[in-house]
Amino acid sequence: TCEPSREELDAHRGNVGFKTGEVIGDNASVWVLDFDVKASGLDAFDALEARYGRLDGFRRVRTGSGGLHVYLNGAVRGTRSCRLPVLDTGLEVELKANGSQVVWPGSTHPDSGLAYEIERDGGSGDCPDWLVQLVKRRPGPAYVGHIETGLPRGCGIHSIPPAVYIPALTGATVSAGHKALCPLHDDH
């Protein structure tokens, strides 16, 4: 990856987004586990570390809201961002992969005003086997049957079939069985 320098961040005078997933023209992929404080993410992080051991070999970023981003080398080609269950806790962690992004360290959270800060700079280590298994077991994409626009019925937009609007809006493809992956999450 190409990281922006401190000078570039300062000159930009704004936040920087980091696109997760596969790198075009390369055989590399970067995943980020997003442990969101609002979704009891730190409890999910603690549960995963208690079960599988410490995630010390990975870059960890404390988010401006107090959550945590853990950077990993992606392991399963074509993986879309999704929510993954954390053991039998009822908690989830969001896997940021293809079709998503995270806020880069040095950026500022819009609500708290706090910076995203590198907590541990371990690089993007290889994805652990337990995470690969979670990704492989996640449910497939759901049927996409219509688009909800908030526009009145009969205005024309509702007559556009998913096989046309999904690729046009997202770049995703629709299978012959009329299934498509949401560009951001395949779990809802």
Side-chain angles (χ1 to χ4, degrees):
T1 62
C2 180
E3 296 185 23
S5 68
R6 179 77 257 160
E7 294 79 24
E8 290 171 317
L9 285 173
D10 289 343
H12 179 65
R13 299 185 194 279
N15 291 335
V16 175
F18 177 80
K19 186 174 184 264
T20 57
E22 295 167 17
V23 179
I24 296 176
D26 197 346
N27 198 24
S29 180
V30 177
W31 290 354
V32 175
L33 292 175
D34 182 2
F35 297 94
D36 190 346
V37 148
K38 291 182 280 186
S40 300
L42 299 180
D43 292 336
F45 178 79
D46 291 343
L48 287 175
E49 281 203 328
R51 170 67 191 271
Y52 298 112
R54 295 196 43 87
L55 294 169
D56 287 337
F58 307 100
R59 170 177 281 188
R60 291 193 337 203
V61 173
R62 182 65 57 184
T63 69
S65 65
L68 195 61
H69 289 165
V70 178
Y71 289 70
L72 315 122
N73 291 330
V76 182
R77 300 285 296 165
T79 299
R80 292 288 203 182
S81 295
C82 59
R83 296 189 184 283
L84 298 170
V86 175
L87 309 170
D88 57 358
T89 63
L91 301 173
E92 295 178 323
V93 60
E94 187 166 4
L95 171 66
K96 303 281 191 170
N98 289 347
S100 198
Q101 69 175 11
V102 293
V103 177
W104 192 252
S107 297
T108 304
H109 191 275
D111 296 329
S112 72
L114 298 174
Y116 286 68
E117 297 180 348
I118 296 174
E119 189 174 86
R120 178 171 288 119
D121 196 5
S124 296
D126 288 336
C127 189
D129 290 337
W130 59 263
L131 181 56
V132 171
Q133 295 309 311
L134 274 177
V135 168
K136 287 181 176 179
R137 286 194 308 256
R138 76 189 192 288
Y143 170 71
V144 178
H146 72 283
I147 184 170
E148 185 54 55
T149 62
L151 298 172
R153 296 248 178 234
C155 69
I157 189 108
H158 295 283
S159 63
I160 300 172
V164 173
Y165 73 75
I166 289 175
L169 294 175
T170 69
T173 57
V174 179
S175 72
H178 301 289
K179 293 187 178 197
L181 290 174
C182 168
L184 300 177
H185 304 93
D186 63 4
D187 61 338
H188 60 278

